[in-house]
Amino acid sequence: MRSEQYDVLVVGAGSAGVAAAVASARNGARTLLIDSGPSIGGELLSGMTIDGAINARGERIIGGVIDDIVNECRALGGYARELNDWRLIRYIACDPEYMKMAVARVVYGSGAEVRLNTFADDVARNGDRIEGVIVRDKQGRSLITANIYIDCSGDADLCALAGGEMLPPDKDSKPQPVSMMFRMAGVETKPLLEFVRQHPEYFAVGESDAIRGGRSDHEIAEEIYKQGEPCVFLKGDADFLGGAIARGEMFPTALIMIQPTSAARREVCVNATRITLDNPLVARDYGRAFGVLIDQVRQCSSYLARRVPGFENAALSGVAPRIGVRETRRILGDEVLDGDDVFNGRKREDGIAKGCHHIDIHQDGTGQIRIPVADGGSYDIPFATLIPAGLSNVMVAGRCFSADRRAQGSARVMGGCLAMGQAVGTAASMLSSTNAPADVRAVPVKHLRTRLKEQGAILDGTY
Ligand SMILES: Cc1cc2nc3c(=O)[nH]c(=O)nc-3n(C[C@H](O)[C@H](O)[C@H](O)COP(=O)(O)OP(=O)(O)OC[C@H]3O[C@@H](n4cnc5c(N)ncnc54)[C@H](O)[C@@H]3O)c2cc1C
């Protein structure tokens, strides 16, 4: 079997993996980033907004690699704007076509090596260490060895292959639904926002006190109008969309979330489709879901064109290349972030990343739990939640980190994943510069925090 040696191997090139590889390579480690798919960037390329980077009070809570990617998107001429959703959060809306180039330029510019269509298939484990990862590509299987392994697979594949312990799934409910994002171009913003002005009751507005700021729904509709961007959320349990669901014109969904992606194309991204699976890791069910979601894309896009002001002349302009998965495995780490830490905006001396997104748990049909972080603030993600129990040379970042369901429901968004990724990539580079066998628990968290702050991360001083 072919065999190659790196300082750091990052498995998975979604938000977390991209940031991990960039941070690791920039800090001098010989870094390999692999992904089982044909591209890098994951959901950063799907048209959804980057949530979890700006708290509801308007403070930036994530910095560093995220800024490089968003600035690169702007420098290339792409749309990238910080917006208030006038509901629960503030976010960064980006053009996914420019993000494809921006992410690639930042990753390749960092010096990280990239391999695509490369699946982490198995691991060689010795005691508490991974000694190598067996990857499969078009040429067969080969062995990659590294000092540090970073699991950014979203599904915690590396930890699972290594026999790492997982947190138990919730026995009372199924995982969050999977969805297919799509985009529509030629949307007229003014009539859409005029519709919000006339019928704020059809839309989700002011769900967080920090965003509402004592305004009535009508006053919030005026703010949405003033912002002038197609950034609105039709509610599944309100008359308008609810009526369409009751008539069978639309499938049951909590919200149709409409977010801008390009001013030039007058384009929006739509997040509405959903199907709940017992386990998204079962390939047969995941495969069937693809067909159902494609039908929902067709149904929702034609519903919008037929019924929603501003969409009369809009056309489907893009369908995400893959199903979006919100929740699968969560590792058991040295510590488990819990929903109270998130809700109460808990700050910690060992925080190496931050989150601020509401506890956001999509459910079947029209159900969705949405609980804002207290006072529109943010919480810290401790380093220990990124260290899998029982493994000494492995770290995790992204939606599979060690968190209960409520905390995962918040930190899973791309801002949090980018920040966690930057933290573990930086930690890995610190370890790879020593000759001793790497032990992730030996990382001096104080020094890691200092290095992260020097490189743009925001760890202190926010609400
Ligand atoms: C429908 C939907 C809507 C969402 N809306 C928003 C939103 O509006 N804003 C927001 O900020 N967040 C949103 N999120 C959440 C967010 O997009 C994800 O939680 C986040 O992108 C996860 O990033 P990640 O890097 O942890 O994992 P992923 O993006 O899932 O990346 C994992 C990568 O690992 C690769 N991989 C997996 N297994 C292997 C293996 N064995 N070998 C090699 N490669 C492997 C995969 O191909 C993939 O590219 C949404 C999620 C979904 C599904």
Side-chain angles (χ1 to χ4, degrees):
M1 196 186 290
R2 285 175 292 146
S3 166
E4 286 166 280
Q5 162 80 36
Y6 288 84
D7 294 335
V8 177
L9 171 65
V10 181
V11 175
S15 331
V18 158
V22 168
S24 167
R26 275 188 187 158
N27 282 293
R30 192 160 167 259
T31 304
L32 176 65
L33 171 65
I34 65 165
D35 199 283
S36 52
S39 67
I40 55 170
E43 304 302 335
L44 285 166
L45 316 183
S46 70
M48 58 180 77
T49 52
I50 303 177
D51 299 347
I54 312 166
N55 69 18
R57 308 169 80 92
E59 292 172 322
R60 272 302 288 268
I61 63 140
I62 305 284
V65 177
I66 184 176
D67 298 314
D68 301 329
I69 293 173
V70 172
N71 289 340
E72 187 65 27
C73 178
R74 279 197 196 104
L76 290 164
Y79 175 94
R81 224 189 130 183
E82 293 187 7
L83 296 172
N84 189 334
D85 83 348
W86 288 106
R87 179 185 62 123
L88 280 156
I89 52 172
R90 295 166 191 258
Y91 52 46
I92 307 171
C94 302
D95 184 330
E97 297 306 322
Y98 283 85
M99 284 298 268
K100 287 176 189 166
M101 295 186 275
V103 169
R105 285 170 66 86
V106 171
V107 169
Y108 287 89
S110 72
E113 191 183 318
V114 176
R115 288 195 202 165
L116 300 175
N117 295 330
T118 303
F119 190 78
D121 207 19
D122 206 350
V123 300
R125 179 174 169 171
N126 185 2
D128 65 356
R129 305 184 69 74
I130 289 183
E131 296 211 315
V133 173
I134 295 143
V135 302
R136 179 183 287 281
D137 62 24
K138 296 283 182 186
Q139 292 182 297
R141 299 178 99 206
S142 60
L143 179 73
I144 311 268
T145 59
N147 295 341
I148 298 286
Y149 299 88
I150 303 182
D151 187 346
C152 295
S153 65
D155 300 323
D157 276 14
L158 201 58
C159 292
L161 289 167
E165 205 174 326
M166 300 295 147
L167 288 164
D170 191 338
K171 54 182 183 330
D172 300 323
S173 60
K174 293 186 176 182
Q176 296 195 50
V178 298
S179 298
M180 182 84 83
M181 312 292 285
F182 65 93
R183 290 180 280 144
M184 293 184 77
V187 176
E188 297 295 342
T189 303
K190 220 164 168 195
L192 176 64
L193 300 188
E194 206 46 84
F195 184 48
V196 181
R197 244 176 164 182
Q198 284 159 17
H199 291 288
E201 71 278 12
Y202 295 162
F203 294 85
V205 295
E207 292 182 359
S208 135
D209 292 341
I211 295 279
R212 180 172 282 277
R215 296 173 185 83
S216 68
D217 287 0
H218 277 282
E219 286 166 336
I220 292 181
E222 286 307 316
E223 298 289 355
I224 294 172
Y225 190 83
K226 265 194 265 163
Q227 183 166 257
E229 291 279 1
C231 166
V232 299
F233 303 78
L234 274 163
K235 277 195 292 196
D237 58 1
D239 272 359
F240 187 75
L241 175 57
I245 293 170
R247 289 191 301 277
E249 192 181 352
M250 259 295 290
F251 51 85
T253 189
L255 297 168
I256 298 182
M257 305 185 214
I258 298 168
Q259 297 157 332
T261 47
S262 164
R265 300 192 296 277
R266 286 180 287 127
E267 189 187 69
V268 297
C269 178
V270 181
N271 180 356
T273 67
R274 54 173 51 203
I275 175 168
T276 302
L277 303 176
D278 288 341
N279 180 358
L281 298 178
V282 176
R284 188 180 46 198
D285 297 348
Y286 188 70
R288 282 190 188 135
F290 195 88
V292 175
L293 292 170
I294 287 291
D295 280 346
Q296 291 185 356
V297 168
R298 188 196 47 76
Q299 190 177 3
C300 186
S301 56
S302 72
Y303 164 75
L304 288 167
R306 247 190 346 264
R307 303 281 185 210
V308 179
F311 280 81
E312 295 86 347
N313 299 312
L316 191 63
S317 51
V319 179
R322 64 180 195 183
I323 298 176
V325 179
R326 295 183 172 89
E327 182 186 10
T328 51
R329 298 187 190 105
R330 285 170 288 123
I331 63 147
L332 170 69
D334 281 1
E335 199 174 316
V336 182
L337 190 74
D338 74 31
D340 291 341
D341 295 334
V342 166
F343 174 73
N344 295 320
R346 183 173 172 202
K347 308 293 187 296
R348 322 238 327 195
E349 283 187 355
D350 54 353
I352 43 65
K354 277 181 173 293
C356 62
H357 194 69
H358 48 286
I359 295 172
D360 183 2
I361 303 180
H362 293 249
Q363 297 164 312
D364 217 5
T366 56
Q368 187 181 3
I369 296 166
R370 303 194 286 266
I371 307 169
V373 175
D375 301 323
S378 62
Y379 57 89
D380 288 353
I381 298 175
F383 187 49
T385 61
L386 308 182
I387 300 180
L391 292 168
S392 66
N393 60 345
V394 185
M395 289 180 280
V396 166
R399 65 177 168 83
C400 55
F401 83 115
S402 177
D404 73 9
R405 269 198 99 209
R406 291 178 303 154
Q408 195 271 357
S410 164
R412 69 185 174 86
V413 294
M414 292 187 288
C417 292
L418 284 159
M420 287 185 244
Q422 182 171 348
V424 292
T426 307
S429 71
M430 289 165 70
L431 287 167
S432 70
S433 58
T434 65
N435 284 329
D439 176 2
V440 291
R441 289 174 185 80
V443 172
V445 177
K446 210 169 153 201
H447 292 174
L448 173 61
R449 282 172 51 88
T450 304
R451 172 103 38 115
L452 285 167
K453 286 190 270 188
E454 283 164 4
Q455 298 182 354
I458 299 166
L459 298 178
D460 298 315
T462 61
Y463 205 84

